[in-house]
Amino acid sequence: MRGFLASSVGVTCAAALALPLALSAPAQAGPQAATTEPAVPGSTQSLRLVPLGDGRALGSAAPEQGVVRRAVRSFSLVGVIWDDPDTELRGRVQVRTRAFGTRHWTGWQDIETHNHEHGADPDSAESTSGRVRGSTAPLWVGDSDGVEVRVQAEVDERSTAPGESPLPRGMHLELVDPDEEPSSRGASTAGGRSAGSKAGTDSATTALDAAAATTSAAHEATAANAALAPLGATAIPALSKARTEREYLAAHPGEPRAKPYIGARPRIVTRRGWGANERLRERGLVYTKKVKAAFVHHTASGNNYRCSQASSVIRSIYRYHVKSSGWRDIGYNFLVDKCGNIYEGRAGGVAKPVMGAHTLGFNSDTMGIAVLGTFADTRPAAAALRAVARLAAWKLGLYGVNPRGKTYLKSAGGNLYRKGKNVRLNVISGHRDGFATECPGRLLYGKLGSARTTAARYQGR
């Protein structure tokens, strides 16, 4: 995997010189037309899906669409998007890819189609921004330069009008390259991704404004953690339980001096640490009132990554959530890799009640913890489970919450609970407890009971 310098100011600013402020819409050109952003480190290629099989003519009611096998610029993560976020993709999405610089093609891999439940609450400013699109879950495929995709509809003649496609309109294949520095491969191979490439304007004023915007956004993100780590820190250091308790009491001078139930603060890799390009996201930080519960997720992005690649996976998911799906930032508040490393997700400060977009209907007063991987048939690593418990013990402890307890949350609307209904849930719940979904996978979901017990023990209960 290509390396990156997560803390390189030069790289961050160079990326800012070329990145557009607005979210780019998918291509609307001819069959399999490809669009890319200006040549900057980290990019997204968007390939229009076309009818396959017997329905090759554009505009036909083809039950199968896709992209035929083709060579493309390098990428590492894939997903499919479409125009209307309220339209569900009923069918199967499969992709095969070619490892970079080789002739080796993988077999067909499934992409999880149910993803809209990982999103902002209905009627929120984020969901009604006009930028949100329907999307599958992202799939990490590793360093690749060839792709083929097919989307096969579940045809229901009762719900599909004659001549109407059973698939959503405007489907595109998104190919995400997470690189954060100019590639050593050279412009001819990387499609001109050098940070010094022409980005559509030679205006020095525009370049300076873009660099200033990036600096401001980066400062906003890192300043939100200023009470926990120096500005620009790549990680928030772990503290002992005793030190965590002392800092908690110092920060709450008006409260009774009884020993708090709070777990030791774990080490958390900051957004700067995993290389977040702060100019991608929407400016401003959005908060709820408190943190009453934690929803555990899996990213459904596959398990074929090394822990040394986790930052690249997160940068890819971040770019996919913002540039492809149209969200204001990465949806999760925290992410955890298979080695137990914890990463800051949505900007706003790891100790604060940041409003995420992770559990449709229950994003208020909650946090979303996503374990990198897919756990329908694969057991989560013990290190990842310990990290979830450590994180929950600390963050829930900041708000006086017992991880083994129950709490009431008001639904903002979903397929399990109507809008406005008060729902009694476990303080540590799986995504499927708030929405009818397979997330976080049955094998991770089955471990949440022990996560509650362990987190409570870490709090000293």
Side-chain angles (χ1 to χ4, degrees):
M1 187 64 202
R2 300 180 303 278
F4 70 97
L5 298 176
S7 61
S8 169
V9 176
V11 169
T12 304
C13 292
L17 301 184
L19 204 63
L21 280 172
L23 291 169
S24 57
Q28 300 297 326
Q32 295 190 25
T35 62
T36 62
E37 300 165 16
V40 296
S43 63
T44 302
Q45 300 171 78
S46 188
L47 309 180
R48 185 177 181 181
L49 271 60
V50 300
L52 301 176
D54 296 332
R56 289 269 179 183
L58 282 173
S60 70
E64 183 175 7
Q65 295 183 29
V67 172
V68 298
R69 184 183 294 198
R70 61 182 293 178
V72 293
R73 291 196 297 109
S74 60
F75 67 97
S76 295
L77 180 138
V78 303
V80 172
I81 64 170
W82 54 93
D83 294 341
D84 185 358
D86 295 323
T87 299
E88 186 175 355
L89 196 167
R90 298 184 181 274
R92 187 179 190 184
V93 180
Q94 292 182 300
V95 65
R96 58 188 308 186
T97 57
R98 183 179 65 192
F100 180 83
T102 73
R103 296 182 179 180
H104 174 70
W105 286 81
T106 67
W108 289 103
Q109 300 182 75
D110 285 293
I111 297 178
E112 174 58 58
T113 60
H114 300 288
N115 190 54
H116 69 283
E117 62 266 26
H118 297 264
D121 289 341
D123 303 323
S124 66
E126 184 170 359
S127 68
T128 59
S129 66
R131 296 190 297 267
V132 179
R133 294 183 280 272
S135 58
T136 67
L139 178 68
W140 176 262
V141 294
D143 212 359
S144 306
D145 60 8
V147 69
E148 181 179 8
V149 69
R150 61 191 183 195
V151 181
Q152 298 167 317
E154 294 177 358
V155 180
D156 185 350
E157 296 180 355
R158 296 172 298 178
S159 60
T160 304
E164 180 182 351
S165 174
L167 293 170
R169 295 182 179 180
M171 290 197 299
H172 286 73
L173 176 66
E174 302 288 282
L175 306 175
V176 180
D177 174 9
D179 236 354
E180 286 293 319
E181 65 176 355
S183 173
S184 60
R185 294 175 184 155
S188 61
T189 301
R193 290 177 295 147
S194 169
S197 299
K198 189 179 181 70
T201 175
D202 292 321
S203 168
T205 300
T206 300
L208 290 172
D209 288 346
T214 297
T215 301
S216 177
H219 177 78
E220 177 185 62
T222 192
N225 291 314
L228 309 180
L231 291 177
T234 57
I236 294 167
L239 295 181
S240 67
K241 191 174 190 306
R243 177 74 179 276
T244 303
E245 291 171 352
R246 288 198 298 271
E247 291 205 351
Y248 175 87
L249 292 171
H252 299 79
E255 294 187 3
R257 305 303 292 178
K259 185 176 180 179
Y261 290 109
I262 184 171
R265 188 178 77 195
R267 179 181 183 273
I268 302 172
V269 178
T270 65
R271 290 172 63 90
R272 184 178 178 86
W274 56 260
N277 182 342
E278 297 296 350
R279 193 157 181 251
L280 286 181
R281 66 177 175 85
E282 182 179 314
R283 291 296 305 278
L285 306 172
V286 180
Y287 298 99
T288 61
K289 294 180 179 180
K290 61 186 73 174
V291 177
K292 298 170 62 178
F295 282 99
V296 177
H297 305 257
H298 67 173
T299 58
S301 51
N303 305 306
N304 189 27
Y305 73 93
R306 301 184 302 274
C307 291
S308 61
Q309 296 175 309
S311 290
S312 294
V313 177
I314 295 170
R315 289 199 307 275
S316 298
I317 294 173
Y318 170 47
R319 177 174 282 272
Y320 183 73
H321 280 181
V322 177
K323 302 298 291 184
S324 300
S325 300
W327 301 356
R328 74 184 313 270
D329 194 350
I330 193 170
Y332 308 112
N333 297 107
F334 298 94
L335 301 100
V336 175
D337 69 24
K338 64 179 70 174
C339 291
N341 299 303
I342 300 170
Y343 303 83
E344 177 184 14
R346 179 161 290 206
V350 297
K352 298 178 181 179
V354 178
M355 170 75 87
H358 49 83
T359 306
L360 192 147
F362 291 101
N363 288 303
S364 290
D365 297 340
T366 68
M367 65 175 177
I369 304 171
V371 182
L372 294 178
T374 305
F375 303 105
D377 300 305
T378 300
R379 286 192 292 269
L385 295 173
R386 286 194 297 270
V388 169
R390 290 200 312 272
L391 175 60
W394 171 70
K395 184 67 180 277
L396 293 173
L398 292 176
Y399 294 86
V401 178
N402 183 348
R404 282 189 304 198
K406 302 273 189 178
T407 190
Y408 280 95
L409 298 173
K410 181 176 288 188
S411 171
N415 64 1
L416 278 182
Y417 303 105
R418 61 174 173 78
K419 184 176 181 179
K421 181 177 177 60
N422 281 318
V423 184
R424 189 168 185 257
L425 295 169
N426 287 310
V427 163
I428 297 180
S429 285
H431 187 180
R432 64 175 65 182
D433 294 321
F435 198 97
T437 173
E438 292 299 313
C439 183
R442 65 182 182 89
L443 295 182
L444 176 53
Y445 185 77
K447 295 292 186 180
L448 295 188
S450 60
R452 297 180 192 111
T453 301
T454 302
R457 177 164 53 83
Y458 287 158
Q459 283 190 346
R461 295 182 185 270

